[in-house]
Amino acid sequence: MIDYKKFFSEEELIKLTQELVRIPSHKDAENREKEVAEYIYKFSKENGLEVEYQEVDGLRKNVIVNLKGEGTGKTLMFNGHMDTVPPYNMIIHPYGGEVKDGFIWGRGTSDMKGPIASMLIAMLAIKRSHKSMKGNIIFTGVLGEEEQSEGTEALVKSNIKADGAIVGEPSNYEYAIGHRGLEWIEIKVKGKAAHGGVPHLGINAISKTAKLILRIEERLMPKLAERDNEYMGPSVMNFGRIEGGSQPSTVADWCSIKIDRRYIPGESVDSVFKELEDIVLELKEEDREFDAEIIRMDNNFLTLDHLYLMTDPEDPIVIATKNALIQVIGEKPNLTRRRGWTDAALLSNFGNIPTVVTGPGDISYSHTKDERIPIKHLIDYVEIYCRIAEEFCQIQ
């Protein structure tokens, strides 16, 4: 068994994480992920790795790093998104990258610049080991995952090839082979305005929407509660936003609800919408004044549906991941069954690449006011990623 810790230092891993965190790359930052991609490109070049850009959206580019073996084995992809959510109301310096109490602190440490650092250092450790490798390793630093996943969508549309992939979302030493599909849906209910003193002359869209919500809760929610998948949990729906009307003294002539819908195998985009359409049709038949339109929110995706992830539990990438985790943490890892949507679903469904989600950090720290990542996680995951590659790409 190769001792990969001999081929990288804790200091270079921490420094790489810090430098990535110190570069803002959220949707409101100038040029968004451009400078992070340039840093990864420069870092890879300086360390003797083959690297190239993939154009996606003007100045915004994916960065692809290659570590080639003999070419007679499997190709492993490491995938990590370079963007973060904005700093919002953080109570620490979002771009400080401070080391304190065994953590690195700042926006993106956990989600997911820390995981990117562990992936890149793992590739360097393998390269420095000078061991023979039958397969190849590709790192894909992608943009836009926190928005429309433009980066990974461009990746799969380019017909990139790999036999297995790891998406490094923070996992706390667990791994996921399945997660639910995601749809954002808006339902607009139309009414008729009238003065508040004569409300009978109008049609109150807020009242009609209340009936719609109750009907969904009575008819659809119980059905969802009965649907469950072993690898991703139950089918669920959430009313995330409601707004409508103009002022207290006017009958509301419009109301909108926005829904987050997470679906599982046995369901589809079409079935998700049909179940809501059936309820709207039922209300229209009962009430001639009820008028509603169902809209698929296009800010949830670019062109590819955000389908669920389901990787065969016996696929070689799953076995290699599980074995690597056991070797490093000394016990059987937990299988995460309720994680959020990730780019793994695009790689799996549209790239035909069996994919597992596992990475350093804890998802409970992601997007928070004091985001951080344990340094121990970063170190351990360098070894975990090396051992996944050792088995999957046949390193000897």
Side-chain angles (χ1 to χ4, degrees), residues 51-67:
V51 59
E52 60 184 321
Y53 289 120
Q54 180 184 53
E55 293 188 9
V56 179
D57 179 22
L59 295 175
R60 301 172 66 208
K61 301 174 182 178
N62 291 336
V63 59
I64 300 173
V65 184
N66 288 283
L67 180 61

PDB file of all heavy atoms in Angstrom, residues 51-67:
ATOM      1  N   VAL A  51      -2.855  21.121 -18.280  1.00  0.00           N
ATOM      2  CA  VAL A  51      -4.053  21.896 -17.946  1.00  0.00           C
ATOM      3  C   VAL A  51      -4.525  22.694 -19.158  1.00  0.00           C
ATOM      4  O   VAL A  51      -3.715  23.123 -19.983  1.00  0.00           O
ATOM      5  CB  VAL A  51      -3.779  22.830 -16.740  1.00  0.00           C
ATOM      6  CG1 VAL A  51      -2.646  23.798 -17.030  1.00  0.00           C
ATOM      7  CG2 VAL A  51      -5.034  23.571 -16.305  1.00  0.00           C
ATOM      8  N   GLU A  52      -5.830  22.852 -19.253  1.00  0.00           N
ATOM      9  CA  GLU A  52      -6.413  23.632 -20.344  1.00  0.00           C
ATOM     10  C   GLU A  52      -7.708  24.281 -19.860  1.00  0.00           C
ATOM     11  O   GLU A  52      -8.312  23.858 -18.878  1.00  0.00           O
ATOM     12  CB  GLU A  52      -6.707  22.741 -21.555  1.00  0.00           C
ATOM     13  CG  GLU A  52      -7.690  21.617 -21.251  1.00  0.00           C
ATOM     14  CD  GLU A  52      -7.906  20.688 -22.435  1.00  0.00           C
ATOM     15  OE1 GLU A  52      -7.967  21.195 -23.571  1.00  0.00           O
ATOM     16  OE2 GLU A  52      -8.030  19.465 -22.210  1.00  0.00           O
ATOM     17  N   TYR A  53      -8.130  25.313 -20.574  1.00  0.00           N
ATOM     18  CA  TYR A  53      -9.408  25.947 -20.310  1.00  0.00           C
ATOM     19  C   TYR A  53     -10.475  25.366 -21.232  1.00  0.00           C
ATOM     20  O   TYR A  53     -10.177  24.897 -22.334  1.00  0.00           O
ATOM     21  CB  TYR A  53      -9.343  27.454 -20.573  1.00  0.00           C
ATOM     22  CG  TYR A  53      -8.543  28.250 -19.571  1.00  0.00           C
ATOM     23  CD1 TYR A  53      -7.432  28.991 -19.981  1.00  0.00           C
ATOM     24  CD2 TYR A  53      -8.908  28.292 -18.229  1.00  0.00           C
ATOM     25  CE1 TYR A  53      -6.702  29.750 -19.075  1.00  0.00           C
ATOM     26  CE2 TYR A  53      -8.183  29.039 -17.313  1.00  0.00           C
ATOM     27  CZ  TYR A  53      -7.086  29.769 -17.741  1.00  0.00           C
ATOM     28  OH  TYR A  53      -6.370  30.510 -16.840  1.00  0.00           O
ATOM     29  N   GLN A  54     -11.705  25.429 -20.779  1.00  0.00           N
ATOM     30  CA  GLN A  54     -12.843  25.126 -21.643  1.00  0.00           C
ATOM     31  C   GLN A  54     -13.766  26.338 -21.613  1.00  0.00           C
ATOM     32  O   GLN A  54     -14.281  26.717 -20.560  1.00  0.00           O
ATOM     33  CB  GLN A  54     -13.608  23.887 -21.137  1.00  0.00           C
ATOM     34  CG  GLN A  54     -14.811  23.538 -22.013  1.00  0.00           C
ATOM     35  CD  GLN A  54     -15.609  22.378 -21.450  1.00  0.00           C
ATOM     36  OE1 GLN A  54     -16.009  22.386 -20.295  1.00  0.00           O
ATOM     37  NE2 GLN A  54     -15.832  21.365 -22.275  1.00  0.00           N
ATOM     38  N   GLU A  55     -13.955  26.964 -22.744  1.00  0.00           N
ATOM     39  CA  GLU A  55     -14.788  28.161 -22.806  1.00  0.00           C
ATOM     40  C   GLU A  55     -16.250  27.806 -22.537  1.00  0.00           C
ATOM     41  O   GLU A  55     -16.773  26.823 -23.068  1.00  0.00           O
ATOM     42  CB  GLU A  55     -14.650  28.837 -24.174  1.00  0.00           C
ATOM     43  CG  GLU A  55     -13.256  29.409 -24.415  1.00  0.00           C
ATOM     44  CD  GLU A  55     -13.178  30.242 -25.673  1.00  0.00           C
ATOM     45  OE1 GLU A  55     -14.238  30.525 -26.278  1.00  0.00           O
ATOM     46  OE2 GLU A  55     -12.050  30.608 -26.059  1.00  0.00           O
ATOM     47  N   VAL A  56     -16.884  28.621 -21.707  1.00  0.00           N
ATOM     48  CA  VAL A  56     -18.278  28.373 -21.344  1.00  0.00           C
ATOM     49  C   VAL A  56     -19.137  29.604 -21.591  1.00  0.00           C
ATOM     50  O   VAL A  56     -20.142  29.558 -22.295  1.00  0.00           O
ATOM     51  CB  VAL A  56     -18.404  27.944 -19.862  1.00  0.00           C
ATOM     52  CG1 VAL A  56     -19.873  27.707 -19.494  1.00  0.00           C
ATOM     53  CG2 VAL A  56     -17.599  26.677 -19.596  1.00  0.00           C
ATOM     54  N   ASP A  57     -18.725  30.746 -21.005  1.00  0.00           N
ATOM     55  CA  ASP A  57     -19.554  31.950 -21.064  1.00  0.00           C
ATOM     56  C   ASP A  57     -18.653  33.173 -21.035  1.00  0.00           C
ATOM     57  O   ASP A  57     -18.387  33.734 -19.974  1.00  0.00           O
ATOM     58  CB  ASP A  57     -20.539  31.964 -19.892  1.00  0.00           C
ATOM     59  CG  ASP A  57     -21.427  33.193 -19.871  1.00  0.00           C
ATOM     60  OD1 ASP A  57     -21.591  33.823 -20.937  1.00  0.00           O
ATOM     61  OD2 ASP A  57     -21.955  33.536 -18.793  1.00  0.00           O
ATOM     62  N   GLY A  58     -18.164  33.589 -22.205  1.00  0.00           N
ATOM     63  CA  GLY A  58     -17.293  34.744 -22.269  1.00  0.00           C
ATOM     64  C   GLY A  58     -16.003  34.521 -21.498  1.00  0.00           C
ATOM     65  O   GLY A  58     -15.258  33.573 -21.759  1.00  0.00           O
ATOM     66  N   LEU A  59     -15.754  35.392 -20.498  1.00  0.00           N
ATOM     67  CA  LEU A  59     -14.546  35.276 -19.697  1.00  0.00           C
ATOM     68  C   LEU A  59     -14.608  34.124 -18.706  1.00  0.00           C
ATOM     69  O   LEU A  59     -13.594  33.740 -18.126  1.00  0.00           O
ATOM     70  CB  LEU A  59     -14.294  36.587 -18.938  1.00  0.00           C
ATOM     71  CG  LEU A  59     -13.989  37.823 -19.794  1.00  0.00           C
ATOM     72  CD1 LEU A  59     -13.895  39.063 -18.910  1.00  0.00           C
ATOM     73  CD2 LEU A  59     -12.700  37.636 -20.588  1.00  0.00           C
ATOM     74  N   ARG A  60     -15.792  33.575 -18.517  1.00  0.00           N
ATOM     75  CA  ARG A  60     -15.972  32.487 -17.552  1.00  0.00           C
ATOM     76  C   ARG A  60     -15.649  31.149 -18.232  1.00  0.00           C
ATOM     77  O   ARG A  60     -16.263  30.778 -19.233  1.00  0.00           O
ATOM     78  CB  ARG A  60     -17.402  32.472 -17.011  1.00  0.00           C
ATOM     79  CG  ARG A  60     -17.799  33.761 -16.315  1.00  0.00           C
ATOM     80  CD  ARG A  60     -19.264  33.761 -15.979  1.00  0.00           C
ATOM     81  NE  ARG A  60     -19.575  32.742 -14.985  1.00  0.00           N
ATOM     82  CZ  ARG A  60     -20.766  32.142 -14.891  1.00  0.00           C
ATOM     83  NH1 ARG A  60     -21.730  32.436 -15.736  1.00  0.00           N
ATOM     84  NH2 ARG A  60     -20.959  31.260 -13.935  1.00  0.00           N
ATOM     85  N   LYS A  61     -14.689  30.431 -17.658  1.00  0.00           N
ATOM     86  CA  LYS A  61     -14.223  29.188 -18.265  1.00  0.00           C
ATOM     87  C   LYS A  61     -14.085  28.093 -17.218  1.00  0.00           C
ATOM     88  O   LYS A  61     -13.759  28.360 -16.071  1.00  0.00           O
ATOM     89  CB  LYS A  61     -12.864  29.409 -18.947  1.00  0.00           C
ATOM     90  CG  LYS A  61     -12.879  30.466 -20.037  1.00  0.00           C
ATOM     91  CD  LYS A  61     -11.481  30.736 -20.561  1.00  0.00           C
ATOM     92  CE  LYS A  61     -11.487  31.837 -21.617  1.00  0.00           C
ATOM     93  NZ  LYS A  61     -10.124  32.145 -22.112  1.00  0.00           N
ATOM     94  N   ASN A  62     -14.330  26.857 -17.650  1.00  0.00           N
ATOM     95  CA  ASN A  62     -13.943  25.702 -16.850  1.00  0.00           C
ATOM     96  C   ASN A  62     -12.439  25.520 -16.982  1.00  0.00           C
ATOM     97  O   ASN A  62     -11.820  25.956 -17.957  1.00  0.00           O
ATOM     98  CB  ASN A  62     -14.631  24.427 -17.361  1.00  0.00           C
ATOM     99  CG  ASN A  62     -16.126  24.406 -17.108  1.00  0.00           C
ATOM    100  OD1 ASN A  62     -16.635  25.062 -16.213  1.00  0.00           O
ATOM    101  ND2 ASN A  62     -16.846  23.615 -17.906  1.00  0.00           N
ATOM    102  N   VAL A  63     -11.845  24.853 -16.002  1.00  0.00           N
ATOM    103  CA  VAL A  63     -10.430  24.511 -16.104  1.00  0.00           C
ATOM    104  C   VAL A  63     -10.300  22.997 -15.933  1.00  0.00           C
ATOM    105  O   VAL A  63     -10.884  22.406 -15.023  1.00  0.00           O
ATOM    106  CB  VAL A  63      -9.581  25.294 -15.069  1.00  0.00           C
ATOM    107  CG1 VAL A  63     -10.030  25.023 -13.645  1.00  0.00           C
ATOM    108  CG2 VAL A  63      -8.102  24.983 -15.219  1.00  0.00           C
ATOM    109  N   ILE A  64      -9.578  22.378 -16.856  1.00  0.00           N
ATOM    110  CA  ILE A  64      -9.460  20.923 -16.891  1.00  0.00           C
ATOM    111  C   ILE A  64      -7.996  20.532 -16.734  1.00  0.00           C
ATOM    112  O   ILE A  64      -7.133  20.975 -17.499  1.00  0.00           O
ATOM    113  CB  ILE A  64     -10.031  20.354 -18.206  1.00  0.00           C
ATOM    114  CG1 ILE A  64     -11.517  20.731 -18.337  1.00  0.00           C
ATOM    115  CG2 ILE A  64      -9.861  18.838 -18.258  1.00  0.00           C
ATOM    116  CD1 ILE A  64     -12.139  20.359 -19.666  1.00  0.00           C
ATOM    117  N   VAL A  65      -7.720  19.720 -15.715  1.00  0.00           N
ATOM    118  CA  VAL A  65      -6.353  19.297 -15.393  1.00  0.00           C
ATOM    119  C   VAL A  65      -6.242  17.794 -15.635  1.00  0.00           C
ATOM    120  O   VAL A  65      -7.112  17.026 -15.195  1.00  0.00           O
ATOM    121  CB  VAL A  65      -6.013  19.623 -13.927  1.00  0.00           C
ATOM    122  CG1 VAL A  65      -4.557  19.266 -13.634  1.00  0.00           C
ATOM    123  CG2 VAL A  65      -6.280  21.101 -13.620  1.00  0.00           C
ATOM    124  N   ASN A  66      -5.189  17.378 -16.321  1.00  0.00           N
ATOM    125  CA  ASN A  66      -5.002  15.962 -16.663  1.00  0.00           C
ATOM    126  C   ASN A  66      -3.752  15.384 -16.025  1.00  0.00           C
ATOM    127  O   ASN A  66      -2.702  16.025 -15.997  1.00  0.00           O
ATOM    128  CB  ASN A  66      -4.888  15.804 -18.181  1.00  0.00           C
ATOM    129  CG  ASN A  66      -6.212  16.009 -18.888  1.00  0.00           C
ATOM    130  OD1 ASN A  66      -7.077  15.138 -18.895  1.00  0.00           O
ATOM    131  ND2 ASN A  66      -6.376  17.189 -19.491  1.00  0.00           N
ATOM    132  N   LEU A  67      -3.905  14.177 -15.505  1.00  0.00           N
ATOM    133  CA  LEU A  67      -2.761  13.375 -15.067  1.00  0.00           C
ATOM    134  C   LEU A  67      -2.875  12.046 -15.809  1.00  0.00           C
ATOM    135  O   LEU A  67      -3.725  11.216 -15.484  1.00  0.00           O
ATOM    136  CB  LEU A  67      -2.787  13.161 -13.553  1.00  0.00           C
ATOM    137  CG  LEU A  67      -1.626  12.329 -12.982  1.00  0.00           C
ATOM    138  CD1 LEU A  67      -0.286  13.003 -13.265  1.00  0.00           C
ATOM    139  CD2 LEU A  67      -1.804  12.114 -11.482  1.00  0.00           C
TER     140      LEU A  67
END
